[in-house]
Amino acid sequence: MERRWVELLFKRGGIMLVTKQAVFKRFWYPVIPTAELSGEPKPFVLLDQPIALWLDSEGKPAAVEDRCCHRTAKLSLGKVVSGNISCAYHGWTFNSSGTCVSVPQQPNGSISGNYKVKSYQACDRYGYVWVCLGEPIAEIPNITEAADPNYRQIHEFYEPWNCAGLRVMENELDMAHPTFVHTATFGSEEHLTPDVMEFTETEWELHYRSVLGVANPAEQQQNLNIEQAETVRTIDGIWFLPFTVKLRIAYPNGLVHIIVNTMTPIDDSTSQMVQFCLRNDTESEAKTSDIIAFDRAVTLEDKRILETTDWDVPLDIAQEQHMLTDKPGIIIRRKIAALLKAHGEVEQTKVS
Ligand code: FES
Ligand SMILES: [Fe+2]
């Protein structure tokens, strides 16, 4: 049989490959902690696009394609000179708009307007450089507590994960997995499902309130200032299209622990895990290092599982099986499918 007919017979619809859907280039993503740009330029790959990052003379982040227009060397190998990026190969220097402002070999010659590289919008928020590769269609997720003096911010994780961002987004809102995945941290065998599940959708967000009984191992009792082996979490989660989740976890004693996690898409199968948290307690009540250590154990429990999941995630819900607690993941798939449709984009087709 001709290959085309074989493909038609066995094709399945609706998978998501992030680099194939142009609309994902129109969102902001955190690409690097701003503090890491205090010296030399740094590289990052966002949606398959290599970019070079640095801070200009005013300390504002700048992002350009990581490919010099002279002989294609990586600009991120260069250095920052007077707030511009200078190529390591022949020293051509580009400003944050991507315009070449210096060719050292021709100090008195005019510089051709063709000597330029593509630049991208970049800004500093929550201690990270956020970049948008296209014309933004949504704001950077608004984390109100980041500006609230009652909260302290703790930078937690910045590392690549071998999985699709969507898998992590739905995992954060999946209240049925802690019993099985977080066995060494907070999962409770007594609470297989949440007591409350309430959903509200906006154009760019899904709000999810749930209440879940959890276990408190000794180190977590210290972190939470709760002397009980079990407690209740009231979770107000917000998923921000496409790959940011904020989980506001409130405990009965008034403590609030907010996790903000973006899975910045590197390519179809890899995401940069960027996570910070916000707490309304003080260092003397819970040490930063202890909070990070506990959250580290939790995230490694998730990572172990999530890196085994398919990264070509089906948006068509008929392709995986579901249960009641999967509602957030189903809404996420539906909203992403609607986003693609609204932008005239066709989902990818999986051929099996
Ligand atoms: S390759 Fe960049 S200056 Fe020559
Ligand atoms: Fe988890």
Side-chain angles (χ1 to χ4, degrees):
M1 209 182 301
E2 279 182 42
R3 179 174 164 74
R4 194 171 72 87
W5 285 107
V6 173
E7 289 181 358
L8 281 175
L9 268 178
F10 291 97
K11 84 176 181 182
R12 301 276 186 273
I15 59 165
M16 188 178 75
L17 300 180
V18 286
T19 67
K20 297 285 193 296
Q21 309 292 170
V23 70
F24 289 127
K25 293 196 174 86
R26 302 187 61 185
F27 290 90
W28 291 95
Y29 304 99
V31 295
I32 194 167
T34 310
E36 289 196 21
L37 287 184
S38 57
E40 300 300 293
K42 292 278 162 48
F44 191 82
V45 176
L46 178 60
L47 288 163
D48 259 352
Q49 173 62 56
I51 53 180
L53 299 149
W54 77 97
L55 298 181
D56 71 11
S57 52
E58 293 171 7
K60 291 193 184 134
V64 296
E65 63 178 311
D66 199 3
R67 182 177 181 275
C68 182
C69 64
H70 179 219
R71 286 295 179 270
T72 76
K74 282 199 176 301
L75 285 170
S76 57
L77 288 176
K79 57 187 178 186
V80 180
V81 177
S82 305
N84 299 316
I85 191 166
S86 176
C87 181
Y89 199 173
H90 309 92
W92 290 21
T93 302
F94 302 86
N95 65 18
S96 57
S97 303
T99 304
C100 183
V101 293
S102 171
V103 176
Q105 297 78 6
Q106 301 172 27
N108 301 316
S110 65
I111 298 173
S112 164
N114 290 333
Y115 290 15
K116 59 176 190 280
V117 292
K118 196 165 173 36
S119 67
Y120 304 106
Q121 295 186 60
C123 71
D124 188 355
R125 191 75 60 86
Y126 315 130
Y128 297 86
V129 175
W130 294 66
V131 170
C132 181
L133 294 176
E135 200 49 47
I137 52 173
E139 304 283 326
I140 290 175
N142 184 19
I143 311 298
T144 47
E145 294 85 351
D148 184 336
N150 294 315
Y151 284 82
R152 55 177 167 144
Q153 184 177 353
I154 297 171
H155 298 279
E156 294 196 311
F157 313 118
Y158 177 71
E159 64 192 11
W161 283 24
N162 294 318
C163 71
L166 192 155
R167 296 286 187 194
V168 180
M169 298 297 102
E170 69 173 351
N171 168 267
E172 300 257 21
L173 300 178
D174 169 359
M175 299 305 153
H177 82 283
T179 304
F180 295 90
V181 174
H182 299 298
T183 48
T185 51
F186 69 93
S188 162
E189 289 184 7
E190 314 295 316
H191 300 279
L192 289 163
T193 56
D195 297 329
V196 174
M197 288 177 69
E198 292 168 4
F199 301 92
T200 316
E201 292 180 50
T202 68
E203 184 179 9
W204 301 109
E205 297 164 12
L206 164 64
H207 295 234
Y208 175 28
R209 166 165 274 232
S210 80
V211 176
L212 183 69
V214 297
N216 284 336
E219 66 273 25
Q220 179 70 332
Q221 289 184 32
Q222 217 171 351
N223 282 344
L224 302 180
N225 208 1
I226 294 175
E227 290 175 10
Q228 289 166 337
E230 290 255 331
T231 190
V232 171
R233 290 181 173 191
T234 301
I235 302 149
D236 284 292
I238 305 178
W239 166 65
F240 300 87
L241 256 166
F243 303 124
T244 296
V245 153
K246 170 191 172 189
L247 283 187
R248 182 187 185 279
I249 303 167
Y251 293 93
N253 65 354
L255 176 68
V256 177
H257 180 98
I258 298 168
I259 292 167
V260 180
N261 168 226
T262 302
M263 296 304 284
T264 297
I266 295 172
D267 56 33
D268 288 330
S269 62
T270 324
S271 311
Q272 189 76 8
M273 200 270 199
V274 183
Q275 180 169 311
F276 63 88
C277 76
L278 296 148
R279 306 254 305 195
N280 64 347
D281 62 356
T282 62
E283 184 70 20
S284 60
E285 289 168 301
K287 281 206 283 188
T288 296
S289 55
D290 290 343
I291 293 166
I292 292 174
F294 187 79
D295 283 358
R296 185 65 186 153
V298 172
T299 53
L300 289 178
E301 287 172 328
D302 284 319
K303 183 171 186 276
R304 173 173 170 265
I305 300 292
L306 291 170
E307 287 192 333
T308 70
T309 61
D310 291 352
W311 45 265
D312 49 352
V313 187
L315 293 179
D316 170 8
I317 64 166
Q319 292 193 49
E320 289 181 352
Q321 312 311 316
H322 311 276
M323 60 179 171
L324 200 62
T325 47
D326 293 326
K327 190 167 175 186
I330 291 170
I331 296 174
I332 287 172
R333 283 164 172 74
R334 180 166 50 68
K335 283 184 88 72
I336 289 179
L339 173 79
L340 301 186
K341 196 169 173 210
H343 288 266
E345 296 188 22
V346 178
E347 292 167 32
Q348 303 305 299
T349 301
K350 183 169 189 166
V351 177
S352 56

